[in-house]
């Protein structure tokens, strides 16, 4: 657990943040112009480093990498023939940054040609014509970078529990968000597009497959505070009504996304767990309600220095894959199924309608137990008890409902079946 999560005051560094966003667009559009297209615009993104952000290798001239160094506050270029060039990140106009960047690329033997208009910002002004003075708050930039490193670490840990197609953890310079996206493997309906200052073709291609996506904004784009977000496309029925964690997370109607303020994570006794809960519960809502093939897409979280067990070694839920025993605690009109694994408790609660029917109303599996089939074991035990007791189950809990739907052999206990 890390307590090194800095406070971020978006309104306090908003002008610097806006300038940095445009500087990243300039470097990003250079990478985009000289790199073959990779699905979902992955060829255009930046990646978090211990010092800032990097473009990775751009196949232009001798091969060029663009680095934003937020420790020494420099824009640095490195070429494959050993040349280097840099200039300071400091108060300036966007036009001045643009001119210095073009010269840096030329000095490294590259070709400084790319589209000169910003994307995904209101009232875009061509870079070379943006002559408004912009501040540069170095301390705020360093705090932002520290937050990015923490978030990058959690996002990458989250990514390890998914076997299906998943994006890298990367920063999109258009919307200025650090993101990680999971894919169901199925085609999606054509996206409506219409994103301001973004070609429709980019949106069509970005969302041509079903996704569950999460990310982090430093602020802006409809909210005046830093926040995490999560959405699904296409949005499954009842997704926005799903119960997600932690308690500070909510559905933002204007954005059509779940939102978790950064402050709620930063001020938490355990920021990593709070963020992981948000990532996992929003994904589970999308996957369960969207009918994803979770058996074929999910796995246990990755462990340091240990290869993931081969599929053949995975034990079925009936063999207690989570190395715990499900117990039932019945109190007449209400009850719960509970399992304790490695000292951590998970539960599934139910209510009794009458002698012949129960309602499963909620399942709670802590983030540390995700990917270990714990929730599935809870549902399985309820199914086994329902058969023995001659009662039917009405699964109102989205997780339980999705689990039962996935198992055709459990349908005999569903109310009304």
């Amino acid at each position: 657990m890390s307590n090194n999560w800095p406070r971020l005051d978006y309104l306090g560094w908003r002008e610097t943040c806006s300038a940095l966003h445009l500087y990243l667009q300039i470097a990003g559009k250079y990478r985009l112009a000289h790199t073959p297209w990779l699905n979902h615009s992955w060829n255009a993104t930046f990646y978090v480093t211990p010092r800032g952000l990097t473009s990775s290798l751009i196949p232009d001239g001798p091969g060029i990498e663009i680095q934003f160094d937020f420790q020494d506050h420099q824009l640095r270029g490195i070429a494959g023939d050993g040349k280097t060039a840099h200039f300071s990140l400091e108060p300036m106009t966007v036009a001045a940054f643009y001119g210095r960047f073009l010269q840096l690329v030329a000095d490294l033997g590259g070709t400084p040609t790319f589209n000169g208009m910003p994307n995904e910002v209101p009232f875009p002004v061509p870079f070379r014509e943006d002559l408004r003075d912009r501040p540069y708050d170095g301390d705020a930039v360093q705090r932002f970078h520290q937050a990015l490193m923490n978030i990058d670490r959690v996002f990458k840990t989250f990514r390890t529990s998914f076997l299906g197609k998943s994006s890298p953890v990367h920063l999109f310079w258009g919307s200025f968000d650090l993101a990680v996206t999971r894919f169901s493997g199925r085609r999606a309906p054509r996206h409506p597009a219409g994103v301001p200052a973004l070609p429709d073709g980019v949106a069509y291609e970005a969302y041509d497959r079903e996704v569950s996506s999460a990310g982090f904004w430093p602020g802006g784009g409809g909210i005046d505070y830093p926040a995490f977000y999560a959405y699904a496309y296409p949005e499954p029925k009842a997704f926005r009504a799903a119960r997600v964690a932690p308690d500070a997370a909510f559905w933002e109607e204007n954005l059509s996304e779940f939102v978790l303020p950064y402050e709620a994570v930063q001020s938490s006794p355990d920021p990593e767990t709070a963020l992981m809960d948000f990532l996992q519960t929003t994904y589970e809502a999308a996957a369960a309600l969207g009918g994803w093939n979770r058996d074929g897409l999910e796995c246990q979280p990755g462990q340091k220095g240990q290869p993931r067990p081969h599929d053949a070694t995975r034990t079925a839920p009936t063999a207690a894959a989570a190395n715990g025993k499900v117990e039932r605690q019945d109190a007449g009109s209400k009850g719960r199924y509970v399992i304790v694994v490695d000292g951590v408790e998970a539960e599934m609660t139910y209510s009794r309608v009458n002698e012949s029917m129960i309602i499963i109303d909620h399942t709670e599996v802590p983030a540390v137990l995700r990917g270990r089939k714990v929730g599935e074991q809870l549902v399985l035990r309820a199914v086994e008890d329902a058969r023995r007791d001659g009662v039917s189950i009405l699964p109102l809990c989205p997780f339980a409902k999705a689990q039962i739907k996935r198992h055709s052999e459990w349908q005999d206990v569903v109310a009304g079946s």
Side-chain angles (χ1 to χ4, degrees), residues 45-66:
T45 54
F46 282 82
Y47 313 94
V48 177
T49 74
R51 299 196 66 85
L53 294 167
T54 180
S55 66
S56 75
L57 180 63
I58 298 170
D60 179 39
I64 294 173
E65 178 183 2
I66 302 298

Side-chain angles (χ1 to χ4, degrees), residues 127-148:
F127 299 127
R128 65 172 67 251
E129 298 175 17
D130 191 336
L131 301 175
R132 180 162 65 90
D133 289 329
R134 309 276 184 155
Y136 185 82
D137 184 340
D139 290 339
V141 170
Q142 287 186 335
R143 289 193 295 272
F144 171 59
H145 174 232
Q146 180 63 54
L148 286 181

Side-chain angles (χ1 to χ4, degrees), residues 139-275:
D139 290 339
V141 170
Q142 287 186 335
R143 289 193 295 272
F144 171 59
H145 174 232
Q146 180 63 54
L148 286 181
M149 288 194 293
N150 290 334
I151 297 163
D152 182 78
R153 181 178 64 251
V154 178
F155 280 13
K156 285 177 177 173
T157 301
F158 170 68
R159 188 172 183 259
T160 66
S161 60
F162 196 73
L163 292 172
K165 175 181 169 182
S166 177
S167 76
V169 178
H170 49 196
L171 188 139
F172 284 100
W173 42 262
S175 47
F176 201 18
D177 59 322
L178 189 70
V180 60
T181 301
R182 292 176 170 184
F183 295 78
S184 74
R186 299 187 303 232
R187 293 182 181 276
R190 180 159 158 164
H191 193 274
V195 180
L198 182 72
D200 286 349
V202 175
Y204 296 151
E205 194 272 343
Y207 293 102
D208 67 353
R209 298 295 188 274
E210 288 184 347
V211 302
S212 170
S213 190
F216 167 75
W217 288 309
I223 54 175
D224 288 331
Y225 53 89
F228 301 95
Y229 66 81
Y231 65 88
Y233 181 78
E235 182 186 320
K237 185 178 180 180
F239 176 65
R240 61 184 60 196
R243 184 171 178 176
V244 301
D247 290 342
F250 62 94
W251 180 262
E252 219 299 330
E253 195 66 38
N254 292 329
L255 299 175
S256 291
E257 297 178 345
F258 284 106
V259 168
L260 174 64
Y262 172 84
E263 184 179 9
V265 172
Q266 186 271 332
S267 62
S268 168
D270 189 346
E272 286 84 353
T273 296
L275 177 52

Side-chain angles (χ1 to χ4, degrees), residues 6 23-24 37 66 102 120 132 173 182 253 256 259 269 272 278 294 300 314 318 352 366 371 382 388 397:
Y23 301 161
L24 281 161
W37 195 276
I66 302 298
L102 296 182
E120 299 185 65
R132 180 162 65 90
W173 42 262
R182 292 176 170 184
E253 195 66 38
S256 291
V259 168
E272 286 84 353
F278 180 71
R294 297 180 64 185
Q300 295 183 14
R314 291 174 61 189
T318 52
R352 189 176 299 280
R388 184 197 63 210
C397 164

